[in-house]
Amino acid sequence: MAYDAGAIEPKWRKIWEERRAFETERDESLPKFYCLEMFPYPSGALHMGHLRNYSIGDLIARFLRMNGYNVVHPIGFDSFGMPAENAAIKMKTHPAEWTLSNIDRAIEQLKSMGCSYDWRRLVKTCLPDYYRWSQWFFLRMYERGLAYRKYAPVNWCETCGTVLANEQVIGDGVCWRCDTPVVKKGLEQWFLRITDYAQELLDCLDGLTGWPERVLAMQRNWIGRSEGVRFNIAIADTDLSIEAFTTRIDTIYGITFVAIAAEHPMANTLAGRSAEAKRDEILDFARRMSSRSAIERTAVGGDKMGLDTGFKAINPVNGKLVPIWIADYILMEYGTGAIMGVPAHDQRDFDFVRKYGLGVIPVVRVAGEPIPDPEKMKSATEADGISCNSDEFDGLPTPEAIRKIAERFEERGWGKRETQYRLRDWLISRQRYWGTPIPMVYCDQCGLVPIPESDLPVELPLDAVVPPNGGNALLGCPDWINTKCPKCGGPARRETDTMDTFICSSWYFFRYLSPGFAEGPFKPEDSKYWMPVDLYIGGIEHACLHLIYARFFTKVLSDLGLASPDLREPFTGLLTQGMVIKDGAKMSKSLGNVVDPDEIIKKYGADTARLFILFASPPDKSLDWSDKGVDGAHRFLGRVFRLVEDNLPALSSASAAKIPMRDIKDPKRRGLKRLIHSTVDRVTRDIRDEKQLNTAVARLMELCNGLSAFSPSDRDGACLFREGVETLLLCLSPFCPHVCEELWEMLGHGDMLAHAKWPAAETEALAADSVTVVLQINGKVREQYSVEPGLSREALAERVMSEESARRRIDGLEVVKVIAVPDKLVNVVVKG
RNA sequence: GCGAGAGUGGUGGAACUGGCAGACACGCAAGACUUAGGAUCUUGUGCCUCCGGCGUAGGGGUUCGACUCCCCUCUCUCGCACCA
């Protein structure tokens, strides 16, 4: 009987299921571990990236379970969103039908991988018993002013027919889902006040020591804190003024112009106060600039466009008049949408004045050098230096100049110091059908009215038909839209926007903890016991999306008193898995380099697929798919299988007792004993401390090789051999659970390996009988000797120098120095 | 431009606080068993001018000793980017 994954794997999956092997309950007496993998979006079948994600997660869950942790390991589906609507149009079906059948298929795939999930905790975000609590959170936030509606220029994706949050505009300003260039539109939309948490989201990053530096850096960058001064600039001959923000208030004397964004309301105001021709010119320019997409705005290669309004601004510090321009490189979304133009010390302003012939006034010089000639400047000098041309502030180094001038501004009431963030409030409304309905109505009498909690969930009408042009199907549901005002009972219309799907994924890991709970989103005691997630595994693409939103949500839940007040962060450990690539590129249909997980599992079995994925590269690096490598992994499992099968008589006859190292005399056996225990030691550390899963597999291969080379010739030998084989199966089981269970059973065990205790390395068996030390001459290796371990520096040097071959090497040379490193080497430094 | 990470055999990748570079595997080569081998087993496998040298992107430095620490340069990947 040869290794047959096709027979073994279904057998064990059935046993695990029947024995409810992976169902866990809260148990205060046990240490807990929350192992979480990012839940999939069920758009068709799972791909290799999923297989990798869930192989890593399942390994960790199984490993910690064997190490005595009470492990919660759930799975679910992020099942609202655009692809379901697109598929509904294409396949002439309903998004719900498409989604739910895909989920069924994905569940089969996950099960075929042998993942140790607690299936009772399954969450599908598109079902009312889940999304009603998203609605409930929304209402809690609305009460607190954390959810609000406002008119703003927002990101619009024409293909998706909806607005997008800032985080969902990626790359060169394209939609994260469909790569369509995003355009700006003025619309009234729902927002969550994530900016209230900007500082805390930033501060807490320092405490996330279990996160990769890369993700922390990306989030810091995304939140984008900067300190500066916000101040007023009066417009000459008017009663108007413009607010500007700068981080370099020390360069205030260098202003040669003021610029505002094309969308700035002041553009209209100034147009209104201009003569007719100028007015049309301004309005036309502003309209042209603001209607361009992000791509158009940046694609010109930095060539800046501007228009002089004809108005003058008054520099608060010296009363100088400078022109006010509208410029396309000023962003309405950042700061105040207006800047002071200091070309000498800002490259963008410099480029702008060079194009339009405005002046340059240097106000910072390099220490020890004269003030540069503005005519000869080739670029702006943005580095710190010494203030000049700045009245009484001349001679101050930049940081001091910033402080002194900022103080002056505050004293005189011209402005105040302020901290700005790049992070924007989270735009959560979507003009889409397949999402969580926003629980609000519009009443002609009462205005905007929240749905009372008792009326939740506001169910998504399932009889809606997604229009072929991709519009919002809810608009075609008058029976659903027209309702009664909860306040006055009069006619009212439901909000037809739905929530961003990232709302669904912002709290699902709480819901897992209290499956089926009907009185709230989750039980506080469940959350208190299980949260935070100890290890979260998923792709890095969510660094500035889901991982920021979920952090925000957790803080809100904590502040609302739903989760413990001390739960400020949802995920203490984060493992960002690398991509799966083949032939040098990410697997994609267009490149035709996709490998289907189903086919691999069918051909080789899940154990082989898992082993290859975990062995081929460290989890956080990209994984190069190799068909040959899969063969190799499969061959290894065949060897493990034969190791047990071919030696079954010896293994069966051996007692389960372990012979301690001190009672083993034969050097070969002592070597095997040491190999067994050093393997346990290394594998445990590789998994637990380093998450170096590939080297853990390598160690197990070495153990297998060592065992294959050993022939158990007597009772003690068989006993040691059995210890080795069982250790191998125990340590390999989180990687390849099915085949290990099968072999464990063949060895006569009645219990499940999944619940077995992880082996402990015997320290006595780790110590080496002898160590190989090398003799170096001037750092070059010349000889090797086997010596007893633990020799002191002196003893080791003496021991090595007494060797015949060592004497010969050194004979006749002038020895300058001898360096000995215990158990490692002796380096003889010679002259000549 | 800013930030993060990487560069080691033909390939994927190892190397703990500086101490035998290339673990483990893939591939390749030779052999064994075979009617057969894309099965299995054994052996070998960094490079060269091979009793000796050279080798961890390139150049310098620190050290008895550097893939590892320091400085400079190059290349690649990822993220952000007229952010005031």
Side-chain angles (χ1 to χ4, degrees):
Chain A
M1 185 182 83
Y3 170 44
D4 178 8
I8 294 170
E9 297 188 352
K11 167 185 163 183
W12 285 98
R13 286 199 289 271
K14 190 156 167 265
I15 292 175
W16 292 327
E17 199 167 333
E18 281 168 2
R19 299 195 195 166
R20 300 163 165 251
F22 310 117
E23 296 182 3
T24 39
E25 299 298 338
R26 195 153 38 86
D27 182 346
E28 315 288 342
S29 70
L30 291 172
K32 68 92 185 180
F33 194 94
Y34 190 169
C35 181
L36 180 68
E37 297 121 51
M38 289 183 186
F39 65 166
Y41 184 85
S43 56
L46 300 183
H47 53 68
M48 269 311 161
H50 292 118
L51 200 63
R52 187 174 193 197
N53 194 172
Y54 304 129
S55 295
I56 297 168
D58 196 52
L59 170 112
I60 298 291
R62 287 177 179 271
F63 171 77
L64 287 156
R65 204 176 283 126
M66 292 175 80
N67 275 277
Y69 285 87
N70 191 23
V71 175
V72 67
H73 188 216
I75 191 71
F77 295 91
D78 187 13
S79 42
F80 267 142
M82 277 297 293
E85 293 189 39
N86 295 336
I89 297 168
K90 207 169 147 196
M91 326 275 276
K92 299 208 179 348
T93 173
H94 190 275
E97 202 177 309
W98 181 83
T99 301
L100 294 172
S101 73
N102 280 341
I103 288 178
D104 287 342
R105 182 164 169 207
I107 288 175
E108 283 317 303
Q109 284 185 296
L110 289 169
K111 288 192 170 169
S112 76
M113 286 178 63
C115 289
S116 61
Y117 295 122
D118 184 346
W119 289 100
R120 299 168 309 159
R121 299 178 184 273
L122 187 70
V123 162
K124 300 173 190 172
T125 61
C126 64
L127 299 182
D129 75 330
Y130 181 81
Y131 69 69
R132 69 174 293 179
W133 301 112
S134 297
Q135 295 173 336
W136 189 79
F137 289 137
F138 178 89
L139 293 174
R140 297 288 83 77
M141 292 192 203
Y142 181 72
E143 283 163 11
R144 296 258 181 144
L146 286 171
Y148 66 96
R149 202 171 154 79
K150 79 164 180 197
Y151 178 90
V154 294
N155 308 303
W156 175 265
C157 172
E158 195 54 55
T159 306
C160 294
T162 183
V163 296
L164 299 169
N166 266 20
E167 289 79 10
Q168 292 153 15
V169 180
I170 58 163
D172 298 325
V174 301
C175 171
W176 71 294
R177 271 224 191 276
C178 66
D179 285 344
T180 304
V182 166
V183 293
K184 288 284 177 195
K185 256 194 182 184
L187 288 172
E188 198 174 300
Q189 296 289 309
W190 287 101
F191 290 85
L192 296 188
R193 217 175 285 280
I194 191 171
T195 51
D196 273 13
Y197 287 83
Q199 189 61 50
E200 203 200 333
L201 285 167
L202 189 64
D203 291 342
C204 289
L205 290 174
D206 294 332
L208 292 176
T209 50
W211 281 38
E213 195 51 47
R214 195 158 88 138
V215 177
L216 296 175
M218 284 166 79
Q219 290 211 356
R220 281 193 189 101
N221 186 6
W222 187 259
I223 296 167
R225 179 191 154 101
S226 58
E227 286 171 31
V229 174
R230 177 196 279 258
F231 63 102
N232 267 304
I233 306 176
I235 302 177
D237 306 322
T238 69
D239 52 346
L240 303 168
S241 68
I242 298 172
E243 270 202 315
F245 176 78
T246 181
T247 54
R248 288 297 300 274
I249 196 69
D250 64 305
T251 61
I252 185 86
Y253 286 88
I255 297 184
T256 59
F257 68 100
V258 161
I260 62 172
E263 299 89 347
H264 199 292
M266 188 58 74
N268 270 324
T269 312
L270 294 183
R273 298 198 184 190
S274 303
E276 199 177 334
K278 191 71 188 170
R279 185 181 67 208
D280 292 348
E281 199 186 351
I282 294 175
L283 292 177
D284 179 59
F285 181 80
R287 199 176 310 117
R288 257 178 28 233
M289 292 302 119
S290 49
S291 65
R292 291 184 305 168
S293 73
I295 287 189
E296 288 172 302
R297 285 180 84 128
T298 49
V300 211
D303 191 25
K304 297 169 175 42
M305 306 275 280
L307 178 74
D308 189 351
T309 62
F311 287 84
K312 303 284 183 212
I314 307 167
N315 187 335
V317 285
N318 58 13
K320 275 195 185 169
L321 294 184
V322 293
I324 300 175
W325 284 63
I326 301 172
D328 68 336
Y329 72 99
I330 310 304
L331 306 173
M332 191 58 221
E333 310 92 82
Y334 189 78
T336 60
I339 58 127
M340 59 179 211
V342 184
H345 307 292
D346 184 292
Q347 190 57 44
R348 297 156 300 178
D349 297 348
F350 187 87
D351 295 342
F352 191 71
V353 301
R354 280 290 184 259
K355 178 168 177 185
Y356 290 105
L358 302 163
V360 177
I361 306 173
V363 291
V364 179
R365 62 183 168 82
V366 178
E369 286 181 22
I371 301 170
D373 177 353
E375 295 306 314
K376 290 186 179 146
M377 285 178 76
K378 294 234 161 51
S379 63
T381 53
E382 297 183 342
D384 283 7
I386 308 293
S387 284
C388 56
N389 288 334
S390 300
D391 294 347
E392 69 264 42
F393 301 104
D394 279 0
L396 294 178
T398 300
E400 203 178 328
I402 289 175
R403 203 177 61 243
K404 289 251 165 77
I405 299 178
E407 280 166 8
R408 167 72 54 88
F409 268 65
E410 290 185 335
E411 282 161 18
R412 303 277 167 95
W414 295 337
K416 61 179 188 342
R417 273 177 274 207
E418 197 180 83
T419 302
Q420 279 281 340
Y421 300 91
R422 222 182 66 108
L423 185 73
R424 297 276 92 79
D425 272 343
W426 179 9
L427 197 174
I428 59 148
S429 34
R430 297 289 177 271
Q431 290 68 51
R432 302 304 325 167
Y433 161 67
W434 192 236
T436 303
I438 295 174
M440 299 292 294
V441 300
Y442 299 93
C443 168
D444 290 335
Q445 300 301 312
C446 316
L448 208 52
V449 181
I451 300 284
E453 199 184 311
S454 54
D455 290 354
L456 295 184
V458 175
E459 285 204 36
L460 196 63
L462 288 176
D463 54 0
V465 178
V466 181
N469 64 9
N472 183 351
L474 284 176
L475 298 174
C477 302
D479 294 349
W480 182 82
I481 292 175
N482 295 311
T483 182
K484 274 189 200 152
C485 172
K487 211 164 164 185
C488 69
R493 283 158 292 114
R494 287 191 193 278
E495 170 64 84
T496 54
D497 282 358
T498 55
M499 294 184 205
D500 182 2
T501 52
F502 280 95
I503 298 269
C504 307
S505 54
S506 288
W507 71 278
Y508 73 106
F509 41 91
F510 282 97
R511 184 65 186 171
Y512 280 150
L513 305 176
S514 306
F517 186 55
E519 284 85 65
F522 55 88
K523 282 187 210 159
E525 56 268 39
D526 285 332
S527 149
K528 195 169 181 348
Y529 175 73
W530 291 112
M531 286 296 287
V533 170
D534 295 281
L535 186 62
Y536 196 21
I537 305 152
I540 189 137
E541 66 273 16
H542 286 294
C544 290
L545 286 158
H546 164 60
L547 288 171
I548 284 191
Y549 297 144
R551 293 181 62 218
F552 161 65
F553 239 78
T554 301
K555 290 176 192 304
V556 171
L557 260 52
S558 177
D559 285 342
L560 291 176
L562 300 165
S564 348
D566 52 333
L567 183 76
R568 303 309 293 180
E569 286 292 333
F571 318 122
T572 43
L574 177 67
L575 180 58
T576 47
Q577 109 219 26
M579 285 190 307
V580 181
I581 58 174
K582 184 156 189 266
D583 311 324
K586 188 177 177 177
M587 283 189 184
S588 76
K589 275 182 200 146
S590 55
L591 287 168
N593 61 348
V594 177
V595 180
D596 178 13
D598 282 345
E599 280 175 28
I600 295 295
I601 292 176
K602 201 173 156 200
K603 186 170 174 195
Y604 297 95
D607 285 336
T608 296
R610 292 168 60 131
L611 185 70
F612 167 71
I613 284 171
L614 297 170
F615 176 57
S617 79
D620 55 334
K621 300 268 164 37
S622 65
L623 183 153
D624 211 347
W625 188 268
S626 146
D627 294 331
K628 296 281 189 188
V630 180
D631 280 332
H634 194 246
R635 274 202 297 271
F636 170 69
L637 291 183
R639 278 200 295 278
V640 174
F641 195 88
R642 284 195 303 276
L643 182 70
V644 175
E645 194 181 36
D646 295 350
N647 295 290
L648 209 50
L651 287 165
S652 307
S653 68
S655 77
K658 288 180 191 165
I659 307 168
M661 189 61 144
R662 59 186 166 278
D663 295 336
I664 302 174
K665 296 289 174 264
D666 177 59
K668 260 197 181 148
R669 293 188 182 180
R670 289 181 66 83
L672 181 62
K673 178 83 177 177
R674 190 171 311 109
L675 175 63
I676 293 167
H677 289 272
S678 67
T679 301
V680 170
D681 183 53
R682 282 296 305 268
V683 170
T684 306
R685 285 189 287 132
D686 280 352
I687 300 177
R688 188 191 55 202
D689 305 336
E690 311 291 337
K691 309 281 180 288
Q692 287 262 31
L693 312 178
N694 54 329
T695 52
V697 175
R699 303 298 153 222
L700 293 169
M701 288 174 167
E702 282 177 290
L703 176 58
C704 180
N705 293 343
L707 288 163
S708 299
F710 182 84
S711 40
S713 52
D714 59 16
R715 258 188 56 208
D716 282 3
C719 194
L720 176 64
F721 187 67
R722 185 176 172 116
E723 182 186 351
V725 169
E726 293 201 340
T727 301
L728 176 63
L729 295 181
L730 283 162
C731 293
L732 191 61
S733 70
F735 297 85
C736 315
H738 311 85
V739 66
C740 292
E741 290 277 11
E742 179 71 14
L743 295 171
W744 190 249
E745 188 188 54
M746 279 165 69
L747 290 179
H749 290 279
D751 58 334
M752 276 184 297
L753 200 45
H755 289 167
K757 198 168 173 305
W758 187 258
E762 294 168 12
T763 26
E764 186 202 357
L766 291 176
D769 291 338
S770 68
V771 289
T772 303
V773 297
V774 297
L775 170 69
Q776 296 182 341
I777 311 274
N778 286 350
K780 299 223 178 291
V781 177
R782 292 299 180 222
E783 302 285 342
Q784 295 194 0
Y785 305 107
S786 175
V787 305
E788 53 274 42
L791 290 179
S792 68
R793 283 168 202 287
E794 297 74 21
L796 178 65
E798 203 174 310
R799 169 77 178 70
V800 166
M801 298 302 263
S802 70
E803 288 282 343
E804 172 78 37
S805 53
R807 300 222 65 83
R808 253 201 329 266
R809 289 273 183 189
I810 301 159
D811 213 28
L813 298 169
E814 188 190 337
V815 175
V816 181
K817 204 172 172 186
V818 176
I819 295 127
V821 181
D823 297 345
K824 299 265 188 222
L825 55 82
V826 174
N827 187 16
V828 181
V829 185
V830 299
K831 226 180 205 171

